[in-house]
Amino acid sequence: MTEHKQGTRRSFAVIGAGINGAAIAREITQRYPDALVTVYEKADHVAAHQSGHNSGVVHAGLYYEPGSLKARLCRRGVNLLRDYATVNDLPYDECGKIVVALHADEEERLRKIHERAVANGVPDVELIGPERIREIEPNSVGRLALHSPHTAITDYAAITRSFVDDVRAHGGTIHLNSEVVDIDIQANGCTVTTVDSSTRRGDRTKHVESFDFVIACAGLQSDRVAKMAGGAAHPTIVPFFGQYSQLEPKHRTILNGLVYPVPDPAYPFLGVHLTKRVDGEMLIGPNAFLSFGRENYSGWKIGVKDSIRVASNLAFWKFAAQNMKAAVHEFGAVLSRKKFLAGAAEYVPSLRGAVSKPIPRGIRAQAMDADGELLDDFVIEQQGRATLIRNAPSPGATSSMAIAEHILDVVTEAQNLAPSTPNSEQKDN
């Protein structure tokens, strides 16, 4: 067993090197410069899962319940992320976004989104009519739209790598190919057991290390990691894949920013939208359908263990029964990219007949409670000296730096930690 304790220096293990794990590890080094920080990542590189499979949208905070963690941390996170990207010369483009109502019955829902956005403090949001829609997006149509000029796009994988560079620069350690298989919480510390995920299962040697505190940011595996630490049985993770299509190059300049539909309460996700990426490519998507595997990015590698777990989950069947209409709707888009594109062409008519190609899908780590309800807000569980992120879907990446602040506030208060003197040589100062 390796002891990560030297005198009075605090030691932290962070599980997961996605954007939230990397942001939290970085925040520890900023807040407790003398701390020993170790990050464990099962994959052979950082941002291997949700942080590296997304559209790159930096959400402004339009949709979230005022006062919720999502609303508060999204708004704080936007400002932190923008400033960090600017200082560190990382991609960040405030291209703006319009949420478009095509039909009269969508207008009232759009007005309520506007009310939420204003309540959340989203700057400069306004409702606009058809003429203003055409001024902002000449190729788009609609009866009414919500304009969010400060919605942005970025490269979350690049930001994650920069966070990790910061951690290393402040003496932290990143262990790749390190799968956590057990967490043991004691009164005065925690032990973390890992194996080398790059070796054959039968050849894996267990490594046990001891820390003062553990923070788990395991995304798609968050419920399983929480169970290792004695966490609650629910929420459980049900993976939903989102398939994006990339338009052919001639459509790269068809939009100035992002075009979204008004969310339909009959469906649990936002619906197909058009997203510009920081490399200039234009995407359409995503659809949302049950993924047969938590890490099945190709669509062909079925995760038998994951699929059996979903099939045996009573909560999932409760959810399915309540959302059969949505499932049929989404499955049509899964089977036919032409239907997928036709949905986008309702908002940008010149896309009729456009050609696109699928790109690697993303998989959303969606937490579900015992009643089959999808949890909307961020969920954090405390188990002694272990802090577990149980649900951090979109806008989790947008909020990552604010989530990191919040997590460290939770740990500091729960463990009654004395403050450290901030490091005067921080990368972003």
Side-chain angles (χ1 to χ4, degrees):
M1 179 184 295
T2 302
E3 292 284 343
H4 280 275
K5 298 181 180 181
Q6 297 180 13
T8 59
R9 296 180 69 185
R10 303 180 182 97
S11 59
F12 292 81
V14 177
I15 301 171
I19 194 166
N20 280 309
I24 287 168
R26 177 184 177 277
E27 180 66 19
I28 296 169
T29 68
Q30 307 292 297
R31 195 173 300 203
Y32 299 110
D34 293 334
L36 298 164
V37 181
T38 303
V39 180
Y40 295 104
E41 170 54 52
K42 181 179 68 172
D44 62 3
H45 61 286
V46 305
H49 299 291
Q50 292 177 108
S51 304
H53 296 81
N54 57 73
S55 62
V57 175
V58 181
H59 295 281
L62 304 180
Y63 308 103
Y64 317 123
E65 183 67 31
S68 65
L69 271 181
K70 266 191 177 183
R72 292 188 287 112
L73 298 185
C74 179
R75 285 303 315 146
R76 170 70 175 158
V78 168
N79 295 329
L80 292 171
L81 197 71
R82 181 195 61 230
D83 293 348
Y84 183 85
T86 300
V87 168
N88 292 282
D89 197 26
L90 293 165
Y92 194 94
D93 177 8
E94 278 193 359
C95 59
K97 164 180 169 178
I98 56 172
V99 182
V100 179
L102 294 177
H103 310 291
D105 61 353
E106 296 176 316
E107 292 186 17
E108 183 58 29
R109 298 205 305 270
L110 189 61
R111 294 183 193 281
K112 289 186 181 302
I113 292 172
H114 178 251
E115 290 174 6
R116 280 193 170 190
V118 171
N120 289 336
V122 181
D124 303 323
V125 289
E126 61 175 337
L127 290 169
I128 58 175
E131 291 186 8
R132 183 79 174 115
I133 290 173
R134 285 192 294 272
E135 288 178 17
I136 295 167
E137 294 290 359
N139 291 308
S140 185
V141 297
R143 298 170 57 99
L144 184 71
L146 174 62
H147 182 216
S148 173
H150 301 294
T151 294
I153 51 177
T154 190
D155 182 342
Y156 284 119
I159 288 176
T160 304
R161 291 191 293 270
S162 184
F163 287 165
V164 167
D165 287 344
D166 291 346
V167 173
R168 286 182 171 132
H170 287 85
T173 303
I174 314 296
H175 290 305
L176 300 177
N177 294 313
S178 292
E179 180 178 356
V180 174
V181 295
D182 192 32
I183 303 168
D184 185 25
I185 306 170
Q186 298 105 29
N188 60 349
C190 308
T191 58
V192 176
T193 303
T194 61
V195 296
D196 184 346
S197 56
S198 67
T199 61
R200 292 186 305 174
R201 197 164 289 277
D203 297 334
R204 294 178 177 179
T205 301
K206 291 184 177 180
H207 302 277
V208 182
E209 301 187 68
S210 179
F211 300 90
D212 292 316
F213 308 103
V214 171
I215 303 174
C217 316
L220 287 157
Q221 306 297 338
S222 61
D223 54 344
R224 291 171 177 164
V225 171
K227 185 178 179 181
M228 296 176 196
H234 289 90
T236 57
I237 294 298
V238 176
F240 289 89
F241 75 78
Q243 182 70 64
Y244 280 91
S245 281
Q246 181 178 311
L247 291 169
E248 57 187 337
K250 69 179 183 180
H251 295 302
R252 289 180 66 163
T253 58
I254 198 167
L255 295 175
N256 295 315
L258 317 177
V259 174
Y260 277 53
V262 178
D264 187 336
Y267 304 107
F269 302 116
L270 283 178
V272 171
H273 43 268
L274 292 103
T275 306
K276 185 170 74 169
R277 214 165 56 182
V278 289
D279 63 1
E281 299 294 348
M282 185 63 67
L283 307 182
I284 295 177
N287 52 23
F289 202 74
L290 179 66
S291 176
F292 296 100
R294 298 193 186 196
E295 299 172 14
N296 181 21
Y297 297 110
S298 68
W300 301 108
K301 189 177 179 181
I302 304 298
V304 176
K305 177 182 175 183
D306 294 338
S307 299
I308 291 174
R309 177 157 182 162
V310 170
S312 61
N313 185 350
L314 180 60
F316 169 74
W317 292 109
K318 291 178 181 177
F319 167 80
Q322 297 164 5
N323 291 275
M324 189 57 66
K325 178 182 176 183
V328 171
H329 177 270
E330 292 294 331
F331 193 56
V334 171
L335 293 177
S336 171
R337 197 156 71 249
K338 185 179 293 186
K339 182 177 180 180
F340 195 57
L341 288 166
E346 291 186 44
Y347 298 87
V348 182
S350 54
L351 284 178
R352 291 193 178 98
V355 175
S356 69
K357 64 178 181 181
I359 61 175
R361 59 178 54 175
I363 300 179
R364 178 187 178 106
Q366 177 61 58
M368 180 179 291
D369 68 16
D371 295 322
E373 297 293 329
L374 302 186
L375 299 186
D376 186 55
D377 208 357
F378 299 146
V379 177
I380 299 161
E381 181 180 352
Q382 195 75 31
Q383 284 289 320
R385 290 188 171 226
T387 305
L388 316 168
I389 296 183
R390 301 295 301 262
N391 192 46
S394 179
T398 299
S399 310
S400 56
M401 297 182 77
I403 288 173
E405 288 182 339
H406 179 72
I407 291 288
L408 264 293
D409 288 344
V410 168
V411 173
T412 298
E413 181 177 356
Q415 307 303 332
N416 195 26
L417 300 183
S420 294
T421 302
N423 191 333
S424 61
E425 296 182 0
Q426 296 173 3
K427 181 178 177 181
D428 60 337
N429 282 349

